[in-house]
Amino acid sequence: MRESAWIGIDFGTSGCRVCAVDQNGNIIAQIEQNLPAAPHPYPSPKQQSLYLFEALKRLVKQLPAVVIESISIDATSGSVMLSDHQGNPLTEMLMYNDQRAYMASEKIAEKAPINSAASGPSSGLAKLLYFQLTLALPEKYYLLHQADWLAIQLGATPGITDYNNALKSGFDVVANHWPSWLELITPMSVLPNVVAPGTVIGKLSEAVMLKLGINQSAPPLIKAGTTDSLAAFIATGARRVGEGVTSLGSTLVLKLICKNPVFDAETGIYSHKLGNRWLCGGASNSVGAVLRHFFTDEQLITLSQKIDLNQSAPDYYPLLTPGERFPVADPNYPAKLLPRPAEDHLFLHGLLAGIASIEKTGYQYLQQLSATPLTSIRSVGGGAKNPVWTKLRESLLQVPFETVEHTEAAYGSALLARDGLTLFQ
């Protein structure tokens, strides 16, 4: 009897990562398909589908003796495009960091609640309005998030999205519907139906199975995916209320599992839904981008080893330019990087301590506004590999730091394909 496998796909900014797991959550195959690096433009929607199929074909070749049960896809949050009702592309895909919808975002600000996650030019809703204002569109079309588009390529029904990707497009995750204020901005008919991540939204067609080299009687199911950050969170194994995850990547991102949602414009906190749990958090402009502005990866390693954690660190708020999103939402918030000591390791000590202080303040706000005590922290991202920084953070935050076995978003999507959101009931 052939064993079963579940596949997770993470389509990010630099590559398409695909992972297959067995019933016990063990990785049985994984591959990465690199995307063109800068200065090449990000692949078009049709090019993205080519990379998706190439990655899946390579993975399937490693799984000759299994039955693929289901597939789930995560992709970048806030990356959107438009399609017709058959799923054919009508526009390019505007990526998560595209800022051209600035004027459209001002229109949203006039109508949207102050705490809406659809605020700002990078939101999916702002990009939808940008398309509507600049293009001649047919009467019927759909807003698609990147994960939606990729799922359609495998056979998912057009016009369906998940509530994590829909959050920045204006979906009310608390009331579980598109809010009425959106009628003042856009025809409601263009907004997709919203389901929970892990919901079955289609199955692979015979043509797709043949193209991928999948030989089995029952076609694999396609399950609604999520955003890349949510998939990475699922991968860490955090499941219980009070467990937090800190991402020390290009930015500092905190997430705390709570019983109730929090949306607070002053602190930059918003909430994603995960089953019967809420993932409250925010993203600071500090961390990796600041560190790499001053030091190479090799310097970060060697200078960290010279830091004496028993000495006081300089008092910094590490930002490259004014402006902060969390734990204070202030576009003019000042950076504090002076005075700079003569010795580089003392300067680095101040940067690491400053970021740890932002982390502490962020968790304090999350606990206060959600009434959820922080019980443990899992650390992911490049900064999590720095043992000196980890000791500094542990001494400041005073909560247990849990070991993380998996941090890859593709692994989290594979678990979503296998279990849906049953782990968060």
Side-chain angles (χ1 to χ4, degrees):
M1 184 176 178
R2 297 167 69 184
E3 298 292 328
S4 293
W6 292 263
I7 293 177
I9 301 166
D10 168 45
F11 208 103
T13 56
S14 62
C16 176
R17 290 157 286 272
V18 187
C19 171
V21 301
D22 64 15
Q23 180 64 56
N24 298 315
N26 300 312
I27 296 176
I28 55 178
Q30 57 184 344
I31 65 98
E32 179 172 358
Q33 183 79 27
N34 292 327
L35 302 181
H40 296 285
Y42 193 77
S44 68
K46 289 188 176 181
Q47 290 171 331
Q48 290 175 41
S49 67
L50 295 177
Y51 284 107
L52 172 68
F53 275 95
E54 181 60 30
L56 278 172
K57 283 191 288 187
R58 290 174 55 198
L59 185 84
V60 169
K61 287 181 179 179
Q62 299 181 29
L63 302 170
V66 304
V67 174
I68 301 171
E69 301 289 348
S70 56
I71 298 174
S72 184
I73 305 174
D74 74 78
T76 53
S77 173
S79 299
V80 301
M81 58 179 286
L82 303 182
S83 82
D84 62 22
H85 279 199
Q86 288 69 50
N88 300 307
L90 296 175
T91 69
E92 63 180 315
M93 185 174 292
L94 297 187
M95 296 306 294
Y96 68 98
N97 56 352
D98 195 297
Q99 297 290 308
R100 75 184 74 177
Y102 182 80
M103 293 183 65
S105 69
E106 293 181 334
K107 183 178 180 181
I108 295 172
E110 296 173 358
K111 307 296 182 182
I114 188 171
N115 293 328
S116 173
S119 300
S122 62
S123 76
L125 182 61
K127 291 167 184 152
L128 168 61
L129 265 63
Y130 172 82
F131 286 136
Q132 293 172 339
L133 292 169
T134 58
L135 300 176
L137 297 169
E139 180 181 354
K140 295 181 179 181
Y141 58 92
Y142 286 130
L143 171 69
L144 301 182
H145 306 93
Q146 187 178 26
D148 309 337
W149 162 252
L150 296 170
I152 290 171
Q153 306 315 296
L154 299 181
T157 303
I160 300 178
T161 192
D162 67 278
Y163 56 55
N164 293 149
N165 272 296
L167 178 66
K168 291 184 179 179
S169 294
F171 187 73
D172 187 334
V173 290
V174 177
N176 199 36
H177 60 62
W178 294 106
S180 58
W181 61 263
L182 282 173
E183 297 177 7
L184 304 173
I185 294 178
T186 181
M188 301 295 279
S189 61
V190 309
L191 300 175
N193 293 322
V194 181
V195 299
T199 302
V200 175
I201 56 174
K203 60 183 179 181
L204 269 63
S205 66
E206 290 185 7
V208 170
M209 291 174 64
L210 181 63
K211 187 174 182 179
L212 295 177
I214 297 175
N215 182 21
Q216 58 189 60
S217 57
L221 300 176
I222 304 168
K223 293 188 177 180
T226 184
T227 65
D228 49 358
S229 64
L230 268 291
F233 183 93
I234 293 171
T236 67
R239 300 285 184 267
R240 294 179 292 274
V241 171
E243 294 182 331
V245 173
T246 297
S247 176
L248 299 166
S250 57
T251 57
L252 172 68
V253 182
L254 309 185
K255 290 185 171 67
L256 178 66
I257 302 179
C258 305
K259 288 184 178 179
N260 301 301
V262 176
F263 295 90
D264 187 73
E266 291 186 3
T267 58
I269 295 175
Y270 62 94
S271 300
H272 276 289
K273 190 176 182 182
L274 275 178
N276 292 334
R277 300 284 184 261
W278 292 90
L279 205 53
C280 304
S284 167
N285 289 333
S286 190
V287 83
V290 179
L291 297 177
R292 286 189 172 85
H293 178 77
F294 294 105
F295 302 111
T296 65
D297 288 345
E298 291 182 356
Q299 288 174 321
L300 289 172
I301 295 172
T302 56
L303 293 174
S304 294
Q305 295 170 351
K306 296 181 180 181
I307 292 174
D308 183 356
L309 294 179
N310 294 316
Q311 291 185 346
S312 298
D315 181 19
Y316 294 151
Y317 199 103
L319 296 171
L320 289 180
T321 58
E324 179 60 302
R325 296 178 292 167
F326 167 81
V328 56
D330 182 352
N332 300 309
Y333 198 82
K336 186 179 180 183
L337 296 170
L338 296 173
R340 176 166 178 168
E343 297 183 76
D344 283 344
H345 74 279
L346 297 179
F347 181 53
L348 177 60
H349 188 187
L351 295 178
L352 298 181
I355 295 168
S357 180
I358 296 172
E359 181 183 10
K360 179 179 179 180
T361 302
Y363 276 122
Q364 286 175 337
Y365 279 130
L366 286 170
Q367 293 178 86
Q368 175 185 341
L369 294 175
S370 69
T372 303
L374 176 67
T375 60
S376 67
I377 293 175
R378 289 168 168 81
S379 302
V380 301
K385 301 174 184 177
N386 186 322
V388 175
W389 197 7
T390 299
K391 289 181 181 179
L392 188 160
R393 294 170 54 231
E394 286 178 327
S395 65
L396 186 63
L397 290 157
Q398 293 292 300
V399 295
F401 276 46
E402 301 289 343
T403 302
V404 180
E405 183 176 356
H406 297 287
T407 62
E408 303 83 6
Y411 181 79
S413 281
L415 296 183
L416 190 59
R418 188 191 65 179
D419 303 316
L421 292 175
T422 58
L423 296 173
F424 294 92
Q425 301 303 319

